[in-house]
């Protein structure tokens, strides 16, 4: 099938007309997994202004917000907002748009079978949307080809916690427990920029005399607050964790009673750690032996301690093994499953946790069930009123799915909800080519993202404060994000879009547009699964300031600390997993002599689709930059403010030089909030989690022009 040329002209701009639903609605932030509580007040009398104030009753932020939260209202009134469906760039009515999409889906599936159509979701979608998207893919499209951007986010931590604990819940304890710890080790997380109110829990811990250890190749805002900062070469955390375990063992810090009573598999790990003596680890990581010894002593002497990982440690082709190495360290110290202690992954997107539980993953059914498990298939098929045989099997992981688009045996059509992979996927130049080879691309978004600009059909959707739904924050606490304003006429919620397509392709039954009804079905579909929401209701969420899953019944209190008595493994023991260090998939050489690592800055969110459209945030950082050490800057003869070209084996991009002694001389850092950086990154995948190696590849840097 050949698709016509797309003529994307200037965007039709019509300022939304809106009425306030209620003044001062208690709701939650549109962005990250901290899901800070905020009150949103809309005043229609003074030019539709939106006022945001932090809520005091949500423990994660307890009265705090970051810059992005304070300015979150701006996209509600922005002229950049999409308010009409677009077909090849031409404004059309909803019926025309949905008829067109349904007809094309039918045609593609007739020619290529059910798997000819793929679905890509996002960790920012509410639980209701994520659930409905997975159901729509399996039940209406009958395709196995569905995955989502969470694969790029915390999939390595998910894989490692599943194999250690039998359950993947980002923090298996309330965030406020951190304040009670005597020590916290944070590997590859920059919470001072990525979740600023998180820092107050660490500050409270330090105020009680607790100590913070940060592992990061850069002296970040978070590292500056640490009592000890270890600054390894990117991609060497696995060796570092093995080295710390080695010292913990040789210095007698192992909690032998705990290891005997609550774990299995320590002997093999003890043996392999023996080979990771500190001097060897120093040669690989660049972290001085003395610093490793101090870190091990801080952790070993702490009565209560937590070990946390962020994307810096996880977004590697060995991310799963790296997280396993940190979990091994935590288990040897006897931390997981003890009150005030544990291992946790600092999850990313707004619904990064819930979004990974209810079926938008290639291998998953709701309730964190496996799609290849016959009992899980029978349970979910019964809730959906279909036969288990009618459910497809597992599909491709996110990068593999994007990489297969338009190929001989890959999908020919893609429906995209809540992601901007033309900017955020690794080796994005190649992914844009794959997307352009499709017969049909449909994007549901609130703004004209870079990926929406490639679409045949753009469907304008409602955003956070214009609709209600549940979000599960980084603690596994299910929250209610309430509607605070009426949506602009012209935009429809993702639930309405899915129903509109279901009606045309199969029938409306089973595709409610009422989030509460969808949630009630999700509760039944998740019942008995690992992520069991059966006992959670909208009323309870409001009355109890959120409910922690698993919560199997309405009279069940929810589970803030799931591992206190036993782990979720068959024998109730946590499993040590023996892992070995290996170098990054692409190491530096003469041609590409520097490591590139990538990440975030406070003022921008993800692909930047939302925050680049907020003037107050653009004023803080307005474009891509390259952070580099003064020694490197001197060699390149550049100073701050000059434009640099950064080149990898896959592509090149430009950014403004920021000379900063806070980074290692062998490493440059770029944020990925603007198109370009991911033209460089290496899509080498972790064998278990299928996480791409966003955090390290080899580059060359030159002065531009
Ligand atoms: N402002 C802002 N906040 C956000 C987001 C955002 O886009 N902007 N996104 C949200 C999402 S989805 C996520 S996933 C989280 C991510 O939250 P974080 O994990 O805190 O964010 P990153 O900046 O990706 O990476 C953290 C740190 O890892 C370091 N790093 C790089 N390579 C390595 C390495 O090899 N080892 C180690 N130990 N560290 C390394 C980087 O220098 C960086 O400081 O943030 C959430 N919050
Ligand atoms: N180099 C590099 N690349 C990275 C990373 C990195 O550290 N370095 N981090 C990775 C990580 S952790 C993540 S999470 C990904 C994130 O990358 P993306 O998946 O691209 O994330 P967003 O930019 O949040 O894209 C969300 C899109 O959905 C839209 N949207 C928001 N809410 C809704 C909704 O309710 N419905 C619909 N239909 N649309 C909505 C937004 O406007 C936006 O266009 O990037 C990954 N890419
Ligand atoms: S920390 Fe995250 S949830 Fe809180 S205000 Fe900032 S972006 Fe929103
Ligand atoms: Mo993420």
């Amino acid at each position: 099938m050949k698709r016509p040329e797309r003529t994307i002209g200037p965007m039709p701009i019509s300022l939304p007309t809106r009425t306030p639903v209620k003044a001062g609605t208690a709701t939650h932030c549109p962005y990250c997994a901290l899901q800070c509580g905020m009150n949103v007040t809309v005043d229609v009398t003074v030019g539709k202004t939106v006022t945001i104030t932090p809520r005091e009753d949500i423990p994660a932020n307890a009265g705090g917000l970051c810059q992005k939260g304070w300015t979150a209202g701006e996209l509600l009134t922005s002229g950049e907002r999409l308010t009409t469906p677009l077909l090849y760039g031409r404004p059309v009515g909803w019926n025309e748009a949905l008829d067109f999409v349904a007809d094309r889906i039918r045609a593609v599936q007739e020619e290529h079978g059910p798997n000819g159509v793929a679905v890509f979701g996002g960790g920012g979608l509410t639980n209701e949307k994520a659930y409905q998207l997975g159901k729509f893919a399996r039940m209406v499209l009958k395709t196995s080809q569905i995955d989502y951007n969470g694969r790029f986010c915390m999939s390595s931590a998910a894989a490692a916690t599943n194999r250690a604990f039998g359950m993947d819940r980002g923090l298996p304890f309330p965030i406020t427990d951190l304040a009670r710890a005597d020590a916290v080790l944070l590997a590859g997380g920059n919470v001072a920029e990525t979740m600023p109110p998180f820092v107050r829990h660490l500050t409270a811990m330090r105020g009680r005399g607790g100590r913070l250890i940060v592992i990061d190749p850069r002296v970040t805002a978070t590292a500056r607050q640490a009592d000890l900062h270890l600054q390894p070469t990117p991609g060497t955390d696995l060796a570092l964790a093995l080295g710390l375990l080695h010292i913990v063992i040789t210095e007698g810090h192992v909690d032998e009673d705990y290891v005997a009573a609550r774990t299995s598999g320590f002997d093999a790990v003890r043996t392999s750690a023996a080979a990771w003596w500190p001097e060897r680890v120093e040669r690989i990581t660049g972290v001085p032996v003395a610093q490793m010894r101090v870190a091990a002593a801080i952790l070993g002497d702490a009565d209560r301690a937590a070990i946390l990982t962020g994307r810096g440690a996880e977004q590697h082709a060995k991310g799963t093994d790296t997280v396993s190495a940190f979990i091994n360290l935590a288990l040897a110290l006897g931390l997981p499953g003890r009150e005030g202690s544990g291992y946790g992954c600092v999850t990313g997107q707004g619904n990064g946790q819930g979004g990974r539980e209810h079926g938008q993953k290639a291998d998953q059914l709701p309730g964190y069930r496996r799609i290849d498990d016959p009992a899980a298939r029978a349970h979910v098929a019964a809730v959906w009123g279909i036969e288990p045989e009618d459910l497809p099997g597992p599909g491709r992981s996110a990068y593999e799915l994007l990489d297969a688009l338009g190929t001989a045996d890959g999908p020919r059509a893609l429906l995209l909800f809540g992601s901007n992979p033309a900017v955020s996927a690794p080796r994005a130049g190649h992914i844009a080519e794959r997307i352009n080879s499709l017969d049909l691309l449909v994007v549901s978004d609130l703004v004209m993202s870079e990926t929406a600009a490639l679409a045949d059909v753009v469907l304008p959707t409602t955003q956070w404060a214009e609709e209600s739904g549940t979000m599960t924050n980084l603690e596994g606490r299910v929250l209610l994000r309430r509607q605070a304003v009426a949506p602009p006429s012209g935009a429809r919620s993702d639930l309405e879009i899915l129903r509109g397509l279901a009606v045309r392709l199969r029938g409306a039954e089973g595709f409610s547009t009422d989030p509460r009804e969808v949630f009630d079905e999700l509760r039944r579909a998740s019942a008995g699964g690992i992520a069991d929401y059966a006992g959670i209701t909208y009323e309870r969420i409001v009355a109890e300031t959120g409910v922690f899953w698993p919560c199997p019944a309405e009279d069940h209190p929810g589970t803030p600390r799931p591992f206190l008595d036993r782990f979720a493994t068959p024998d109730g023991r946590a499993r040590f997993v023996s892992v070995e260090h290996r170098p990054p998939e692409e190491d530096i050489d003469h041609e590409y002599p520097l490591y590139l690592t990538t990440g975030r800055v406070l003022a921008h969110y993800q692909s930047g689709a939302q925050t680049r459209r907020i003037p107050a945030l653009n004023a803080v950082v307005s474009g891509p930059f390259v952070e580099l050490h003064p020694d490197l800057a001197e060699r390149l003869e550049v100073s701050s403010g000059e434009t640099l070209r950064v080149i990898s084996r896959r592509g090149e991009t430009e950014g403004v030089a920021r000379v900063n002694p806070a980074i290692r001389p062998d490493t440059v850092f770029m944020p990925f909030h603007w198109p370009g950086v991911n033209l460089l990154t290496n899509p080498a995948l972790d064998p278990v989690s299928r996480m791409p190696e966003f955090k390290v590849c080899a580059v060359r840097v030159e002065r531009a022009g």
Side-chain angles (χ1 to χ4, degrees), residues 241-297:
L242 286 162
L244 292 173
L245 179 61
H246 178 101
I247 302 172
V248 161
I249 293 170
T250 53
E251 297 295 312
H253 290 304
V254 174
D255 186 340
E256 301 285 354
D257 292 343
Y258 171 98
V259 168
R262 300 215 51 190
T263 72
S264 62
F266 185 48
D267 289 344
V269 168
R270 192 197 296 263
T271 306
S272 73
W276 292 94
W277 57 92
E279 292 74 13
R280 180 183 176 201
V281 174
E282 175 176 326
R283 277 198 301 277
I284 293 172
T285 63
V287 175
V289 170
Q291 288 186 1
M292 282 184 251
R293 291 196 182 283
V294 176

Side-chain angles (χ1 to χ4, degrees), residues 31-33 66 68 152-154 186-191 193-196 215-218 220 230 232-237 309-316 326 346-350 597-607 669 672-673 695-696:
Y31 303 117
C32 84
C66 80
K68 295 184 299 303
F152 298 158
C153 188
M154 26 34 62
L186 174 57
N190 181 15
V191 290
E193 294 207 57
T194 54
M195 302 189 176
I215 305 176
D216 198 304
R218 303 184 301 138
T220 59
L230 313 182
T233 311
T236 63
D237 297 74
T309 59
R311 300 308 83 77
E314 298 166 11
Q315 288 173 323
H316 295 273
F326 282 109
V346 182
T347 292
Q349 298 178 83
T597 193
T598 61
R600 295 160 166 82
V601 298
L602 204 171
H604 285 283
Y605 192 65
Q606 312 278 63
S607 71
F669 169 85
F672 77 105
H673 309 299
K695 286 292 190 270
V696 54

Side-chain angles (χ1 to χ4, degrees), residues 26-309:
T27 188
H28 295 270
C29 179
Y31 303 117
C32 84
L34 204 57
Q35 278 303 289
C36 294
M38 51 171 61
N39 295 302
V40 176
T41 311
V42 181
D43 186 345
V44 277
T45 56
V46 282
K48 294 171 197 144
T49 51
V50 178
T51 312
I52 287 178
T53 55
R55 282 167 71 179
E56 302 282 342
D57 60 329
I58 299 296
N61 65 305
L65 289 179
C66 80
Q67 228 168 8
K68 295 184 299 303
W70 286 110
T71 54
E74 292 197 24
L75 261 194
L76 294 169
T77 51
S78 166
E80 296 240 14
R81 188 61 197 291
L82 296 173
T83 54
T84 174
L86 301 170
L87 177 59
Y88 299 115
R90 177 172 61 87
V92 293
W94 275 97
N95 281 336
E96 187 179 345
L98 294 176
D99 286 347
F100 177 88
V101 174
D103 285 349
R104 296 308 304 268
I105 287 175
R106 234 181 259 116
V108 168
Q109 290 196 319
E110 252 160 45
E111 199 177 335
H112 301 280
N115 289 344
V117 179
V119 175
F120 199 88
L125 302 177
T126 61
N127 288 314
E128 292 78 357
K129 294 179 181 193
Y131 169 82
Q132 202 79 323
L133 194 63
K135 179 179 177 181
F136 177 83
R138 272 66 173 243
M139 192 166 132
V140 177
L141 300 176
K142 298 186 169 41
T143 180
S144 67
Q145 301 298 296
I146 174 171
D147 211 54
Y148 81 125
N149 68 9
R151 189 71 71 167
F152 298 158
C153 188
M154 26 34 62
S155 61
S156 289
T161 50
N162 274 324
R163 67 187 187 187
F165 307 131
M167 180 194 276
D168 153 33
R169 214 188 75 185
L171 297 183
F173 47 79
I175 194 168
T176 43
D177 275 12
L178 292 174
R180 300 155 60 193
D182 303 309
V184 171
L185 169 76
L186 174 57
N190 181 15
V191 290
E193 294 207 57
T194 54
M195 302 189 176
F198 189 112
V199 175
R200 30 182 88 195
H201 305 288
L202 300 175
T203 308
M205 174 209 51
R206 294 188 64 226
R208 286 183 37 261
R211 282 188 290 159
L212 175 64
I213 308 166
V214 169
I215 305 176
D216 198 304
R218 303 184 301 138
V219 190
T220 59
T222 314
R224 276 198 292 275
Q225 303 187 33
D227 300 277
L228 178 67
H229 174 209
L230 313 182
Q231 200 171 359
T233 311
T236 63
D237 297 74
L238 182 39
L240 187 54
L242 286 162
L244 292 173
L245 179 61
H246 178 101
I247 302 172
V248 161
I249 293 170
T250 53
E251 297 295 312
H253 290 304
V254 174
D255 186 340
E256 301 285 354
D257 292 343
Y258 171 98
V259 168
R262 300 215 51 190
T263 72
S264 62
F266 185 48
D267 289 344
V269 168
R270 192 197 296 263
T271 306
S272 73
W276 292 94
W277 57 92
E279 292 74 13
R280 180 183 176 201
V281 174
E282 175 176 326
R283 277 198 301 277
I284 293 172
T285 63
V287 175
V289 170
Q291 288 186 1
M292 282 184 251
R293 291 196 182 283
V294 176
I298 290 174
L299 291 169
D301 293 339
D303 184 23
R304 286 195 287 245
I307 294 181
L308 306 174
T309 59

